[in-house]
Amino acid sequence: MKPRFNYDDVVQVRSTASSDSRPGARGWVVGVFDTRPGPYFDKFPEGVVYTIEFEDGSSLEIHEQDLEASGP
């Protein structure tokens, strides 16, 4: 599956994402996982998972379905 976003893209967590994914927060793509490098990723549905770094410097792994493009 081809990733929708690339490194350094600015994204926003969709409002429908789970509360632990920080809905509405804006961040930058700092990791793209289109294959599953370990069992940690089993908790996500099939598809691409991204590491998102938020404006406060924290980061989370978030599935592609929970992200949308955001302006610069």
Side-chain angles (χ1 to χ4, degrees):
M1 179 174 276
K2 184 176 190 235
R4 180 175 170 205
F5 304 108
N6 294 307
Y7 289 92
D8 292 329
D9 282 353
V10 180
V11 295
Q12 184 167 353
V13 181
R14 291 182 186 270
S15 61
T16 56
S18 66
S19 61
D20 60 338
S21 295
R22 299 179 61 171
R26 194 171 96 128
W28 291 262
V29 175
V30 297
V32 180
F33 300 94
D34 54 358
T35 59
R36 304 298 170 114
Y40 167 77
F41 291 89
D42 292 346
K43 66 182 180 179
F44 297 99
E46 287 298 314
V48 182
V49 175
Y50 299 88
T51 301
I52 305 302
E53 183 175 324
F54 297 100
E55 294 173 310
D56 66 2
S58 65
S59 64
L60 287 173
E61 280 73 43
I62 301 177
H63 192 272
E64 185 172 77
Q65 70 187 9
D66 291 327
L67 297 172
E68 58 191 6
S70 182

